[in-house]
mmCIF file with all atom_site columns, all heavy atoms in Angstrom:
data_model
loop_
_atom_site.group_PDB
_atom_site.id
_atom_site.type_symbol
_atom_site.label_atom_id
_atom_site.label_alt_id
_atom_site.label_comp_id
_atom_site.label_asym_id
_atom_site.label_entity_id
_atom_site.label_seq_id
_atom_site.pdbx_PDB_ins_code
_atom_site.Cartn_x
_atom_site.Cartn_y
_atom_site.Cartn_z
_atom_site.occupancy
_atom_site.B_iso_or_equiv
_atom_site.pdbx_formal_charge
_atom_site.auth_seq_id
_atom_site.auth_comp_id
_atom_site.auth_asym_id
_atom_site.auth_atom_id
_atom_site.pdbx_PDB_model_num
ATOM 1   N N   . GLY A 1 45 ? -128.392 79.444 128.269 1.00 0.00 ? 357 GLY A N   1
ATOM 2   C CA  . GLY A 1 45 ? -129.375 80.461 128.650 1.00 0.00 ? 357 GLY A CA  1
ATOM 3   C C   . GLY A 1 45 ? -129.932 80.213 130.046 1.00 0.00 ? 357 GLY A C   1
ATOM 4   O O   . GLY A 1 45 ? -130.070 81.148 130.848 1.00 0.00 ? 357 GLY A O   1
ATOM 5   N N   . ARG A 1 46 ? -130.254 78.948 130.347 1.00 0.00 ? 358 ARG A N   1
ATOM 6   C CA  . ARG A 1 46 ? -130.770 78.619 131.690 1.00 0.00 ? 358 ARG A CA  1
ATOM 7   C C   . ARG A 1 46 ? -129.679 78.807 132.744 1.00 0.00 ? 358 ARG A C   1
ATOM 8   O O   . ARG A 1 46 ? -129.949 79.297 133.846 1.00 0.00 ? 358 ARG A O   1
ATOM 9   C CB  . ARG A 1 46 ? -131.307 77.193 131.724 1.00 0.00 ? 358 ARG A CB  1
ATOM 10  C CG  . ARG A 1 46 ? -132.650 77.041 131.027 1.00 0.00 ? 358 ARG A CG  1
ATOM 11  C CD  . ARG A 1 46 ? -133.278 75.678 131.267 1.00 0.00 ? 358 ARG A CD  1
ATOM 12  N NE  . ARG A 1 46 ? -132.453 74.563 130.839 1.00 0.00 ? 358 ARG A NE  1
ATOM 13  C CZ  . ARG A 1 46 ? -132.381 74.110 129.593 1.00 0.00 ? 358 ARG A CZ  1
ATOM 14  N NH1 . ARG A 1 46 ? -133.092 74.681 128.640 1.00 0.00 ? 358 ARG A NH1 1
ATOM 15  N NH2 . ARG A 1 46 ? -131.614 73.086 129.302 1.00 0.00 ? 358 ARG A NH2 1
ATOM 16  N N   . LEU A 1 47 ? -128.454 78.424 132.416 1.00 0.00 ? 359 LEU A N   1
ATOM 17  C CA  . LEU A 1 47 ? -127.354 78.607 133.370 1.00 0.00 ? 359 LEU A CA  1
ATOM 18  C C   . LEU A 1 47 ? -127.109 80.093 133.636 1.00 0.00 ? 359 LEU A C   1
ATOM 19  O O   . LEU A 1 47 ? -126.846 80.482 134.787 1.00 0.00 ? 359 LEU A O   1
ATOM 20  C CB  . LEU A 1 47 ? -126.081 77.927 132.851 1.00 0.00 ? 359 LEU A CB  1
ATOM 21  C CG  . LEU A 1 47 ? -126.107 76.398 132.815 1.00 0.00 ? 359 LEU A CG  1
ATOM 22  C CD1 . LEU A 1 47 ? -124.884 75.855 132.067 1.00 0.00 ? 359 LEU A CD1 1
ATOM 23  C CD2 . LEU A 1 47 ? -126.171 75.815 134.229 1.00 0.00 ? 359 LEU A CD2 1
ATOM 24  N N   . ALA A 1 48 ? -127.221 80.918 132.616 1.00 0.00 ? 360 ALA A N   1
ATOM 25  C CA  . ALA A 1 48 ? -127.061 82.371 132.796 1.00 0.00 ? 360 ALA A CA  1
ATOM 26  C C   . ALA A 1 48 ? -128.208 82.917 133.637 1.00 0.00 ? 360 ALA A C   1
ATOM 27  O O   . ALA A 1 48 ? -127.990 83.724 134.558 1.00 0.00 ? 360 ALA A O   1
ATOM 28  C CB  . ALA A 1 48 ? -126.996 83.066 131.437 1.00 0.00 ? 360 ALA A CB  1
ATOM 29  N N   . ARG A 1 49 ? -129.431 82.482 133.347 1.00 0.00 ? 361 ARG A N   1
ATOM 30  C CA  . ARG A 1 49 ? -130.605 82.921 134.108 1.00 0.00 ? 361 ARG A CA  1
ATOM 31  C C   . ARG A 1 49 ? -130.443 82.581 135.594 1.00 0.00 ? 361 ARG A C   1
ATOM 32  O O   . ARG A 1 49 ? -130.818 83.358 136.468 1.00 0.00 ? 361 ARG A O   1
ATOM 33  C CB  . ARG A 1 49 ? -131.858 82.235 133.554 1.00 0.00 ? 361 ARG A CB  1
ATOM 34  C CG  . ARG A 1 49 ? -133.133 82.535 134.314 1.00 0.00 ? 361 ARG A CG  1
ATOM 35  C CD  . ARG A 1 49 ? -134.216 81.529 134.056 1.00 0.00 ? 361 ARG A CD  1
ATOM 36  N NE  . ARG A 1 49 ? -133.823 80.242 134.613 1.00 0.00 ? 361 ARG A NE  1
ATOM 37  C CZ  . ARG A 1 49 ? -134.267 79.066 134.199 1.00 0.00 ? 361 ARG A CZ  1
ATOM 38  N NH1 . ARG A 1 49 ? -135.110 78.981 133.206 1.00 0.00 ? 361 ARG A NH1 1
ATOM 39  N NH2 . ARG A 1 49 ? -133.856 77.956 134.776 1.00 0.00 ? 361 ARG A NH2 1
ATOM 40  N N   . ASP A 1 50 ? -129.850 81.414 135.873 1.00 0.00 ? 362 ASP A N   1
ATOM 41  C CA  . ASP A 1 50 ? -129.684 80.957 137.255 1.00 0.00 ? 362 ASP A CA  1
ATOM 42  C C   . ASP A 1 50 ? -128.413 81.488 137.916 1.00 0.00 ? 362 ASP A C   1
ATOM 43  O O   . ASP A 1 50 ? -128.102 81.106 139.044 1.00 0.00 ? 362 ASP A O   1
ATOM 44  C CB  . ASP A 1 50 ? -129.690 79.422 137.293 1.00 0.00 ? 362 ASP A CB  1
ATOM 45  C CG  . ASP A 1 50 ? -131.024 78.843 136.836 1.00 0.00 ? 362 ASP A CG  1
ATOM 46  O OD1 . ASP A 1 50 ? -132.041 79.573 136.820 1.00 0.00 ? 362 ASP A OD1 1
ATOM 47  O OD2 . ASP A 1 50 ? -131.044 77.643 136.478 1.00 0.00 ? 362 ASP A OD2 1
ATOM 48  N N   . GLY A 1 51 ? -127.669 82.341 137.211 1.00 0.00 ? 363 GLY A N   1
ATOM 49  C CA  . GLY A 1 51 ? -126.484 82.971 137.799 1.00 0.00 ? 363 GLY A CA  1
ATOM 50  C C   . GLY A 1 51 ? -125.260 82.076 137.852 1.00 0.00 ? 363 GLY A C   1
ATOM 51  O O   . GLY A 1 51 ? -124.316 82.360 138.587 1.00 0.00 ? 363 GLY A O   1
ATOM 52  N N   . LYS A 1 52 ? -125.227 81.019 137.049 1.00 0.00 ? 364 LYS A N   1
ATOM 53  C CA  . LYS A 1 52 ? -124.098 80.080 137.083 1.00 0.00 ? 364 LYS A CA  1
ATOM 54  C C   . LYS A 1 52 ? -123.065 80.359 135.997 1.00 0.00 ? 364 LYS A C   1
ATOM 55  O O   . LYS A 1 52 ? -121.937 79.894 136.091 1.00 0.00 ? 364 LYS A O   1
ATOM 56  C CB  . LYS A 1 52 ? -124.612 78.645 136.983 1.00 0.00 ? 364 LYS A CB  1
ATOM 57  C CG  . LYS A 1 52 ? -125.495 78.304 138.177 1.00 0.00 ? 364 LYS A CG  1
ATOM 58  C CD  . LYS A 1 52 ? -126.169 76.970 138.023 1.00 0.00 ? 364 LYS A CD  1
ATOM 59  C CE  . LYS A 1 52 ? -127.140 76.757 139.188 1.00 0.00 ? 364 LYS A CE  1
ATOM 60  N NZ  . LYS A 1 52 ? -127.942 75.557 139.009 1.00 0.00 ? 364 LYS A NZ  1
ATOM 61  N N   . VAL A 1 53 ? -123.471 81.093 134.959 1.00 0.00 ? 365 VAL A N   1
ATOM 62  C CA  . VAL A 1 53 ? -122.546 81.543 133.922 1.00 0.00 ? 365 VAL A CA  1
ATOM 63  C C   . VAL A 1 53 ? -122.900 82.972 133.555 1.00 0.00 ? 365 VAL A C   1
ATOM 64  O O   . VAL A 1 53 ? -124.009 83.440 133.825 1.00 0.00 ? 365 VAL A O   1
ATOM 65  C CB  . VAL A 1 53 ? -122.590 80.664 132.638 1.00 0.00 ? 365 VAL A CB  1
ATOM 66  C CG1 . VAL A 1 53 ? -122.260 79.222 132.930 1.00 0.00 ? 365 VAL A CG1 1
ATOM 67  C CG2 . VAL A 1 53 ? -123.900 80.789 131.907 1.00 0.00 ? 365 VAL A CG2 1
ATOM 68  N N   . THR A 1 54 ? -121.940 83.642 132.950 1.00 0.00 ? 366 THR A N   1
ATOM 69  C CA  . THR A 1 54 ? -122.197 84.960 132.391 1.00 0.00 ? 366 THR A CA  1
ATOM 70  C C   . THR A 1 54 ? -121.838 84.908 130.913 1.00 0.00 ? 366 THR A C   1
ATOM 71  O O   . THR A 1 54 ? -120.938 84.172 130.504 1.00 0.00 ? 366 THR A O   1
ATOM 72  C CB  . THR A 1 54 ? -121.363 86.059 133.078 1.00 0.00 ? 366 THR A CB  1
ATOM 73  O OG1 . THR A 1 54 ? -119.978 85.733 132.955 1.00 0.00 ? 366 THR A OG1 1
ATOM 74  C CG2 . THR A 1 54 ? -121.733 86.208 134.535 1.00 0.00 ? 366 THR A CG2 1
ATOM 75  N N   . ALA A 1 55 ? -122.552 85.680 130.135 1.00 0.00 ? 367 ALA A N   1
ATOM 76  C CA  . ALA A 1 55 ? -122.287 85.779 128.702 1.00 0.00 ? 367 ALA A CA  1
ATOM 77  C C   . ALA A 1 55 ? -121.590 87.097 128.440 1.00 0.00 ? 367 ALA A C   1
ATOM 78  O O   . ALA A 1 55 ? -122.071 88.153 128.858 1.00 0.00 ? 367 ALA A O   1
ATOM 79  C CB  . ALA A 1 55 ? -123.588 85.695 127.913 1.00 0.00 ? 367 ALA A CB  1
ATOM 80  N N   . GLY A 1 56 ? -120.463 87.038 127.762 1.00 0.00 ? 368 GLY A N   1
ATOM 81  C CA  . GLY A 1 56 ? -119.730 88.245 127.428 1.00 0.00 ? 368 GLY A CA  1
ATOM 82  C C   . GLY A 1 56 ? -120.387 88.983 126.279 1.00 0.00 ? 368 GLY A C   1
ATOM 83  O O   . GLY A 1 56 ? -121.435 88.582 125.760 1.00 0.00 ? 368 GLY A O   1
ATOM 84  N N   . GLN A 1 57 ? -119.757 90.064 125.871 1.00 0.00 ? 369 GLN A N   1
ATOM 85  C CA  . GLN A 1 57 ? -120.250 90.839 124.741 1.00 0.00 ? 369 GLN A CA  1
ATOM 86  C C   . GLN A 1 57 ? -120.113 90.017 123.459 1.00 0.00 ? 369 GLN A C   1
ATOM 87  O O   . GLN A 1 57 ? -119.235 89.168 123.347 1.00 0.00 ? 369 GLN A O   1
ATOM 88  C CB  . GLN A 1 57 ? -119.442 92.136 124.606 1.00 0.00 ? 369 GLN A CB  1
ATOM 89  C CG  . GLN A 1 57 ? -119.580 93.071 125.787 1.00 0.00 ? 369 GLN A CG  1
ATOM 90  C CD  . GLN A 1 57 ? -121.019 93.562 125.936 1.00 0.00 ? 369 GLN A CD  1
ATOM 91  O OE1 . GLN A 1 57 ? -121.692 93.882 124.972 1.00 0.00 ? 369 GLN A OE1 1
ATOM 92  N NE2 . GLN A 1 57 ? -121.484 93.602 127.174 1.00 0.00 ? 369 GLN A NE2 1
ATOM 93  N N   . SER A 1 58 ? -120.983 90.305 122.501 1.00 0.00 ? 370 SER A N   1
ATOM 94  C CA  . SER A 1 58 ? -120.891 89.625 121.204 1.00 0.00 ? 370 SER A CA  1
ATOM 95  C C   . SER A 1 58 ? -119.566 89.965 120.540 1.00 0.00 ? 370 SER A C   1
ATOM 96  O O   . SER A 1 58 ? -119.118 91.111 120.578 1.00 0.00 ? 370 SER A O   1
ATOM 97  C CB  . SER A 1 58 ? -122.047 90.051 120.301 1.00 0.00 ? 370 SER A CB  1
ATOM 98  O OG  . SER A 1 58 ? -123.258 89.574 120.822 1.00 0.00 ? 370 SER A OG  1
ATOM 99  N N   . GLU A 1 59 ? -118.943 88.945 119.963 1.00 0.00 ? 371 GLU A N   1
ATOM 100 C CA  . GLU A 1 59 ? -117.666 89.116 119.278 1.00 0.00 ? 371 GLU A CA  1
ATOM 101 C C   . GLU A 1 59 ? -117.843 88.712 117.822 1.00 0.00 ? 371 GLU A C   1
ATOM 102 O O   . GLU A 1 59 ? -118.523 87.735 117.534 1.00 0.00 ? 371 GLU A O   1
ATOM 103 C CB  . GLU A 1 59 ? -116.600 88.205 119.900 1.00 0.00 ? 371 GLU A CB  1
ATOM 104 C CG  . GLU A 1 59 ? -116.382 88.398 121.378 1.00 0.00 ? 371 GLU A CG  1
ATOM 105 C CD  . GLU A 1 59 ? -115.514 87.289 121.981 1.00 0.00 ? 371 GLU A CD  1
ATOM 106 O OE1 . GLU A 1 59 ? -115.054 86.402 121.258 1.00 0.00 ? 371 GLU A OE1 1
ATOM 107 O OE2 . GLU A 1 59 ? -115.324 87.336 123.209 1.00 0.00 ? 371 GLU A OE2 1
ATOM 108 N N   . PRO A 1 60 ? -117.229 89.456 116.910 1.00 0.00 ? 372 PRO A N   1
ATOM 109 C CA  . PRO A 1 60 ? -117.309 89.031 115.515 1.00 0.00 ? 372 PRO A CA  1
ATOM 110 C C   . PRO A 1 60 ? -116.491 87.757 115.311 1.00 0.00 ? 372 PRO A C   1
ATOM 111 O O   . PRO A 1 60 ? -115.521 87.505 116.014 1.00 0.00 ? 372 PRO A O   1
ATOM 112 C CB  . PRO A 1 60 ? -116.726 90.204 114.739 1.00 0.00 ? 372 PRO A CB  1
ATOM 113 C CG  . PRO A 1 60 ? -115.879 90.928 115.719 1.00 0.00 ? 372 PRO A CG  1
ATOM 114 C CD  . PRO A 1 60 ? -116.464 90.670 117.083 1.00 0.00 ? 372 PRO A CD  1
ATOM 115 N N   . GLY A 1 61 ? -116.924 86.952 114.384 1.00 0.00 ? 373 GLY A N   1
ATOM 116 C CA  . GLY A 1 61 ? -116.202 85.725 114.068 1.00 0.00 ? 373 GLY A CA  1
ATOM 117 C C   . GLY A 1 61 ? -116.618 85.236 112.709 1.00 0.00 ? 373 GLY A C   1
ATOM 118 O O   . GLY A 1 61 ? -117.278 85.940 111.952 1.00 0.00 ? 373 GLY A O   1
ATOM 119 N N   . ASP A 1 62 ? -116.210 84.052 112.370 1.00 0.00 ? 374 ASP A N   1
ATOM 120 C CA  . ASP A 1 62 ? -116.658 83.443 111.115 1.00 0.00 ? 374 ASP A CA  1
ATOM 121 C C   . ASP A 1 62 ? -118.129 83.122 111.272 1.00 0.00 ? 374 ASP A C   1
ATOM 122 O O   . ASP A 1 62 ? -118.495 82.266 112.055 1.00 0.00 ? 374 ASP A O   1
ATOM 123 C CB  . ASP A 1 62 ? -115.866 82.163 110.823 1.00 0.00 ? 374 ASP A CB  1
ATOM 124 C CG  . ASP A 1 62 ? -114.394 82.434 110.623 1.00 0.00 ? 374 ASP A CG  1
ATOM 125 O OD1 . ASP A 1 62 ? -114.048 83.580 110.293 1.00 0.00 ? 374 ASP A OD1 1
ATOM 126 O OD2 . ASP A 1 62 ? -113.589 81.503 110.814 1.00 0.00 ? 374 ASP A OD2 1
ATOM 127 N N   . GLY A 1 63 ? -118.977 83.826 110.573 1.00 0.00 ? 375 GLY A N   1
ATOM 128 C CA  . GLY A 1 63 ? -120.412 83.614 110.700 1.00 0.00 ? 375 GLY A CA  1
ATOM 129 C C   . GLY A 1 63 ? -121.002 84.636 111.650 1.00 0.00 ? 375 GLY A C   1
ATOM 130 O O   . GLY A 1 63 ? -120.507 85.753 111.787 1.00 0.00 ? 375 GLY A O   1
ATOM 131 N N   . PRO A 1 64 ? -122.076 84.238 112.351 1.00 0.00 ? 376 PRO A N   1
ATOM 132 C CA  . PRO A 1 64 ? -122.732 85.202 113.249 1.00 0.00 ? 376 PRO A CA  1
ATOM 133 C C   . PRO A 1 64 ? -121.843 85.555 114.439 1.00 0.00 ? 376 PRO A C   1
ATOM 134 O O   . PRO A 1 64 ? -120.910 84.835 114.780 1.00 0.00 ? 376 PRO A O   1
ATOM 135 C CB  . PRO A 1 64 ? -123.987 84.449 113.715 1.00 0.00 ? 376 PRO A CB  1
ATOM 136 C CG  . PRO A 1 64 ? -123.779 83.028 113.364 1.00 0.00 ? 376 PRO A CG  1
ATOM 137 C CD  . PRO A 1 64 ? -122.719 82.948 112.317 1.00 0.00 ? 376 PRO A CD  1
ATOM 138 N N   . ASP A 1 65 ? -122.146 86.717 115.038 1.00 0.00 ? 377 ASP A N   1
ATOM 139 C CA  . ASP A 1 65 ? -121.410 87.123 116.233 1.00 0.00 ? 377 ASP A CA  1
ATOM 140 C C   . ASP A 1 65 ? -121.563 86.058 117.312 1.00 0.00 ? 377 ASP A C   1
ATOM 141 O O   . ASP A 1 65 ? -122.589 85.384 117.405 1.00 0.00 ? 377 ASP A O   1
ATOM 142 C CB  . ASP A 1 65 ? -121.940 88.462 116.755 1.00 0.00 ? 377 ASP A CB  1
ATOM 143 C CG  . ASP A 1 65 ? -121.534 89.626 115.859 1.00 0.00 ? 377 ASP A CG  1
ATOM 144 O OD1 . ASP A 1 65 ? -120.688 89.421 114.965 1.00 0.00 ? 377 ASP A OD1 1
ATOM 145 O OD2 . ASP A 1 65 ? -122.073 90.722 116.053 1.00 0.00 ? 377 ASP A OD2 1
ATOM 146 N N   . ARG A 1 66 ? -120.521 85.923 118.121 1.00 0.00 ? 378 ARG A N   1
ATOM 147 C CA  . ARG A 1 66 ? -120.520 84.877 119.143 1.00 0.00 ? 378 ARG A CA  1
ATOM 148 C C   . ARG A 1 66 ? -120.243 85.500 120.507 1.00 0.00 ? 378 ARG A C   1
ATOM 149 O O   . ARG A 1 66 ? -119.575 86.512 120.620 1.00 0.00 ? 378 ARG A O   1
ATOM 150 C CB  . ARG A 1 66 ? -119.449 83.834 118.835 1.00 0.00 ? 378 ARG A CB  1
ATOM 151 C CG  . ARG A 1 66 ? -119.604 83.255 117.461 1.00 0.00 ? 378 ARG A CG  1
ATOM 152 C CD  . ARG A 1 66 ? -118.639 82.171 117.110 1.00 0.00 ? 378 ARG A CD  1
ATOM 153 N NE  . ARG A 1 66 ? -117.281 82.365 117.541 1.00 0.00 ? 378 ARG A NE  1
ATOM 154 C CZ  . ARG A 1 66 ? -116.343 81.434 117.435 1.00 0.00 ? 378 ARG A CZ  1
ATOM 155 N NH1 . ARG A 1 66 ? -116.625 80.268 116.929 1.00 0.00 ? 378 ARG A NH1 1
ATOM 156 N NH2 . ARG A 1 66 ? -115.121 81.657 117.839 1.00 0.00 ? 378 ARG A NH2 1
#
Side-chain angles (χ1 to χ4, degrees):
R358 285 190 302 277
L359 291 171
R361 176 199 67 205
D362 296 342
K364 297 172 185 173
V365 301
T366 58
Q369 297 296 319
S370 293
E371 303 169 2
D374 297 338
D377 288 349
R378 305 183 319 172

